Amino acid sequence: MIDVKVGDEIGLRGDRWLVTSCDGVSIVLQCSSDATTIELATSELLADESLIAARANRSLADVRILNQLSPERRRDAEFWYEQMHLVKYGLTSAERARFGDIAVEGTVAERLAMRRDDLRGRGIAVSMSSMWRRYGRFRKLGIVGCADHRGLPGHTRGSGVDARVYACLAKHMRRFEKKSTPSKKQVIEYATEELEEVGVTVPKRSRMYELLKELDRGEHTFGEASTRRSLANSPDRAFGKIRQLYPGQELQLDSTPLDALVLTPDGRTERADLALAIDVATRTIASAILRPKAASSVDATELLTKAMRPMQMHPEWEDAMSWARSILPHDMLPADVLAEHAAARPIIDIRGVFVDRGRIYVSEHFVRVLEMQGMNHRIASPRDPTNKPIVERTLRTIGEDFVRWMTGYKGRAIVHRGSHPEAEPLWPLTLIQPLLDEWVVSVYQPRSHSGLSLDVAPAMPVAPNEMYSGLTEFIPGRVRALTRDEWISLQPCDWRRINRYGINFERLIYDNDGARFHELRRSKSPNRQHDGRWEIRYDPGNMMRIWLRDEERQEWIECKWIRAKDAPTPFALDVLRHVVKLIGDKRHEIDAQVLRKLVDIHKRLGAGPPTNPTPQDKDLKPALEAAARGQTRAALRAVDAPAPEGASEPSERQPRNSADVPPVQPLSAVRTTDKW
């Protein structure tokens, strides 16, 4: 409560003033520096934010403490209030209200001693120092001062520990912000040694542990190092939230390894990398890409191109879905139902992206693509995943609702891992990608999210598809999707000659039956910087076709692999390079050999792990591992060498410990049920 009266000195507008007159309506002030006087209305003075005035000892805000007292403490406060009232006025509060003030005899010390003797006679022992302390708090705060404040908000009690002890412990705790997690004993030893050098009394060991517990309030000094580093990188200020008002205003991009083992086309068992792009305003998963190794800058660009095109426009999507449906006919949605879900998936008009400092997201190729498309590029703080919480939470959702149901799930850490997750019937990565696409359009997009709601109904969660419809209905929007030529222009580039038989790219032959391509055979490109070679573009995830740039007509000519009609399914560039390396023939055309290997890989991956391995299956993995090390010819001899005559068939291979590793049976890769 502000208390201003005549004779008080107050601060106003950066100067000191003396209150010379006050009639309740106006106040006359005299400046202490130049003796000038001003007259202000009382309301104007109190409303001035620069006013610095004395405050009354008793504040109405302190009355809230009485509401927090227990009934016993409240009765005790009322009792001591009456006792101190008798000491000051000689009457109780009820008697004083009836008869008024009377003359009080004796000093305060004498009256306090008389009151203490009276209480002793009633069996209440109290010291004289306690009487003086209660009387002083009674004069200052009234009944609030007579209450027992222990355990209430605002009550502090001296710990008796030197402040330098706190400072020293905090100093050594900060030493481990970027280091490995220490033990409490280690920090105490560092602090004890430093305190003894400066002559500060060190508390007992148990008290030091209590002080560490008080200082480590959410800092995770003795917890996980990644969490501690993340908190140390956070700004020392209040948290804020940036609201995205329309779809595509900001897409958050990130990539992470999946917590599951998959089967790669070269026969190895490894974790796959998931690259994800999610729209912040609608929580729509714009695109999700699986790769058998760390994502590259080309994959980051593909995230944007997939987000700005319908799934039906991607060349490999229909083929991949057909192949997956042929392997898992009962677990996948019918083609017409899947087409309806895919059509309901929003096409995001990307205006800006928010990424971390990963190499692929700050590469020159990725930044150039953003500039060409007019997209804003924002980069998060280093080592601070809380800058992009939406994509981090979505990655966790995919891990819980999709990856956890895959065979070969290995847990998020070693302590969550089973005995032999690699012994489960793993499925190929080329099958997991269409299953993930199906899960996104049929499960994630139509499902309501607890953290997603409209402002008109904040308590009602909505689905990403519904959120997109709600925002685009009231906010003027536009449909902006990549055309075929734009999508091709964003693919990786290379330069090749057009031979009489076609284009030789990655040791495969690509050709076109059109009249225009026939005119260009054995001709030189008008681009002289590349020695007459022509610009081609290719999709690293689908090597069934490439595109040739016709500079004269300003168009792209599609060239298909000459064996594309016989190939069972599209294959990626990394698969092609491994197959070519495995074949090892550097002199002749290898299209037919590549096709045979691709068909063999397709059959093996589609059939799942065999229950009873044949000799060929037994020798395949060492050969593939040898091929991965560069020993291609030795690997081919090991695989293709005929079995010796008279050799008997080996018996069924059993696990090392049948009690620990049960026989492997082919199972579904993902449980595509309605329980997701």
Side-chain angles (χ1 to χ4, degrees):
M1 181 178 293
I2 300 176
D3 187 8
V4 179
K5 58 183 180 296
V6 176
D8 288 349
E9 192 173 38
I10 63 174
L12 184 67
R13 301 170 186 174
D15 211 339
R16 299 173 63 182
W17 302 80
L18 179 67
V19 180
T20 59
S21 176
C22 178
D23 58 4
V25 179
S26 61
I27 297 179
V28 179
L29 305 177
Q30 184 179 10
C31 183
S32 301
S33 58
D34 56 6
T36 58
T37 59
I38 59 173
E39 183 176 358
L40 297 175
T42 304
S43 58
E44 182 182 355
L45 176 67
L46 296 178
D48 197 316
E49 295 182 356
S50 64
L51 174 64
I52 302 175
R55 297 183 179 272
N57 291 333
R58 301 184 186 183
S59 174
L60 294 178
D62 294 332
V63 179
R64 78 185 194 284
I65 297 178
L66 297 178
N67 300 328
Q68 303 178 24
L69 295 175
S70 62
E72 294 78 8
R73 288 192 179 186
R74 192 179 184 95
R75 288 193 296 267
D76 187 64
E78 293 173 352
F79 170 77
W80 283 108
Y81 175 77
E82 294 298 336
Q83 298 302 316
M84 296 300 105
H85 202 279
L86 284 172
V87 171
K88 184 175 182 180
Y89 300 104
L91 300 172
T92 63
S93 57
E95 293 174 345
R96 181 168 174 250
R98 179 182 299 179
F99 304 111
D101 294 337
I102 62 174
V104 183
E105 298 180 355
T107 62
V108 175
E110 294 174 349
R111 297 198 299 270
L112 285 173
M114 292 175 57
R115 184 51 44 197
R116 185 191 62 169
D117 295 339
D118 181 61
L119 292 174
R120 282 185 175 180
R122 297 163 58 180
I124 302 176
V126 61
S127 64
M128 197 63 188
S129 60
S130 298
M131 294 294 293
W132 275 106
R133 184 172 62 254
R134 292 183 185 276
Y135 182 73
R137 298 182 63 182
F138 163 78
R139 292 188 58 189
K140 184 177 181 180
L141 299 174
I143 189 173
V144 177
C146 297
D148 187 357
H149 290 237
R150 289 177 296 180
L152 296 179
H155 178 264
T156 57
R157 182 178 180 181
S159 62
V161 178
D162 196 319
R164 288 174 289 181
V165 177
Y166 284 97
C168 186
L169 287 174
K171 168 188 172 182
H172 289 287
M173 289 171 62
R174 288 192 298 270
R175 288 178 53 185
F176 295 93
E177 285 183 353
K178 305 298 178 63
K179 298 182 179 180
S180 301
T181 302
S183 64
K184 294 183 179 179
K185 178 181 178 181
Q186 186 178 3
V187 175
I188 291 176
E189 292 294 337
Y190 280 126
T192 301
E193 181 179 356
E194 182 175 340
L195 291 172
E196 289 178 349
E197 290 180 357
V198 296
V200 178
T201 303
V202 181
K204 295 182 179 180
R205 181 59 63 95
S206 59
R207 182 55 178 159
M208 294 287 279
Y209 277 99
E210 294 177 359
L211 297 179
L212 284 179
K213 185 177 181 181
E214 295 177 8
L215 292 173
D216 188 29
R217 297 185 299 273
E219 300 296 335
H220 292 265
T221 305
F222 310 103
E224 295 183 358
S226 58
T227 305
R228 182 171 62 254
R229 289 193 299 268
S230 178
L231 293 175
N233 290 328
S234 300
D236 189 14
R237 53 177 173 78
F239 288 97
K241 183 177 181 181
I242 301 177
R243 295 182 61 87
Q244 309 303 331
L245 302 179
Y246 55 87
Q249 183 177 358
E250 180 181 289
L251 257 69
Q252 293 185 2
L253 277 61
D254 199 3
S255 57
T256 184
L258 292 183
D259 297 327
L261 299 174
V262 297
L263 201 60
T264 59
D266 57 0
R268 292 182 292 110
T269 297
E270 64 178 23
R271 297 171 65 181
D273 259 39
L274 170 64
L276 187 71
I278 183 169
D279 178 46
V280 177
T282 63
R283 302 296 196 274
T284 295
I285 294 182
S287 56
I289 302 173
L290 291 175
R291 288 290 181 264
K293 55 183 179 180
S296 62
S297 59
V298 177
D299 300 323
T301 305
E302 188 177 355
L303 286 175
L304 303 180
T305 59
K306 279 195 171 185
M308 300 183 67
R309 299 189 80 197
M311 285 187 171
Q312 298 86 337
M313 293 179 63
H314 295 291
E316 75 280 0
W317 191 73
E318 292 289 347
D319 297 336
M321 284 296 175
S322 300
W323 179 63
R325 193 174 288 106
S326 66
I327 296 178
L328 299 175
H330 303 292
D331 289 344
M332 295 195 67
L333 293 175
D336 54 345
V337 179
L338 181 61
E340 293 179 3
H341 287 295
R345 170 182 169 269
I347 307 302
I348 305 299
D349 178 19
I350 305 176
R351 309 294 182 86
V353 298
F354 190 69
V355 297
D356 56 18
R357 296 175 182 267
R359 183 171 54 184
I360 64 175
Y361 300 119
V362 295
S363 64
E364 182 180 356
H365 173 70
F366 184 71
V367 174
R368 191 185 307 117
V369 170
L370 294 179
E371 293 177 352
M372 184 175 59
Q373 296 295 324
M375 302 175 185
N376 184 28
H377 187 211
R378 294 179 57 215
I379 303 177
S381 303
R383 299 177 298 277
D384 197 357
T386 55
N387 280 177
K388 43 185 180 58
I390 306 301
V391 68
E392 296 288 350
R393 183 61 180 88
T394 308
L395 290 172
R396 176 183 167 188
T397 299
I398 294 177
E400 293 177 351
D401 294 354
F402 181 81
V403 179
R404 192 181 294 272
W405 297 92
M406 293 171 52
T407 59
Y409 176 72
K410 60 191 293 291
R412 59 184 176 87
I414 187 65
V415 295
H416 299 274
R417 190 171 304 170
S419 300
H420 297 279
E422 68 280 356
E424 296 185 10
L426 308 178
W427 285 102
L429 182 63
T430 51
L431 176 64
I432 303 301
Q433 178 67 63
L435 289 176
L436 176 61
D437 293 339
E438 178 186 327
W439 178 84
V440 169
V441 299
S442 64
V443 178
Y444 177 86
Q445 289 294 132
R447 184 177 60 185
S448 300
H449 292 235
S450 58
L452 190 62
S453 61
L454 294 170
D455 292 339
V456 295
M460 183 178 66
V462 297
N465 288 347
E466 298 171 345
M467 190 69 178
Y468 181 85
S469 301
L471 291 179
T472 54
E473 183 176 355
F474 298 100
I475 299 176
R478 62 176 179 177
V479 177
R480 191 176 69 156
L482 293 177
T483 63
R484 171 183 176 273
D485 290 352
E486 290 175 338
W487 180 80
I488 295 175
S489 300
L490 294 177
Q491 301 306 313
C493 175
D494 209 333
W495 301 86
R496 288 292 187 274
R497 300 186 186 277
I498 305 178
N499 303 305
R500 178 178 298 173
Y501 53 84
I503 300 176
N504 189 335
F505 179 68
E506 293 290 339
R507 305 202 57 197
L508 298 184
I509 305 302
Y510 293 86
D511 202 358
N512 183 281
D513 294 335
R516 177 58 181 169
F517 187 80
H518 185 69
E519 295 176 4
L520 298 178
R521 296 179 191 271
R522 303 183 64 184
S523 63
K524 290 188 177 183
S525 169
N527 190 338
R528 302 303 179 185
Q529 296 182 359
H530 295 275
D531 194 20
R533 290 177 293 180
W534 294 81
E535 177 187 359
I536 66 168
R537 299 279 175 167
Y538 61 94
D539 182 6
N542 182 8
M543 297 301 297
M544 302 287 280
R545 59 180 63 84
I546 62 175
W547 294 270
L548 170 72
R549 182 65 177 177
D550 186 354
E551 295 293 348
E552 181 179 346
R553 298 187 179 183
Q554 295 295 311
E555 63 182 10
W556 294 98
I557 301 177
E558 181 179 304
C559 302
K560 291 186 178 181
W561 181 38
I562 59 176
R563 299 282 184 170
K565 294 182 180 180
D566 302 324
T569 183
F571 54 93
L573 179 60
D574 55 349
V575 178
L576 172 61
R577 288 176 176 173
H578 170 75
V579 171
V580 171
K581 188 176 182 179
L582 189 63
I583 293 174
D585 190 348
K586 299 182 179 180
R587 294 176 298 175
H588 303 89
E589 297 180 2
I590 60 173
D591 295 271
Q593 301 180 56
V594 169
L595 179 61
R596 286 196 297 268
K597 291 294 182 182
L598 290 175
V599 172
D600 181 64
I601 290 175
H602 172 72
K603 291 180 179 180
R604 293 177 184 274
L605 296 183
T611 306
N612 299 321
T614 63
Q616 186 179 3
D617 297 328
K618 184 187 301 184
D619 298 335
L620 177 62
K621 186 173 182 180
L624 293 177
E625 292 177 353
R629 295 192 299 267
Q631 304 170 4
T632 54
R633 296 186 179 179
L636 282 175
R637 288 195 296 269
V639 175
D640 299 334
E645 296 182 0
S648 59
E649 292 292 332
S651 59
E652 295 182 0
R653 183 172 57 186
Q654 298 294 334
R656 291 189 300 271
N657 189 346
S658 58
D660 296 336
V661 185
V664 178
Q665 299 292 337
L667 297 175
S668 299
V670 180
R671 305 173 188 175
T672 52
T673 63
D674 295 334
K675 296 182 180 180
W676 281 1

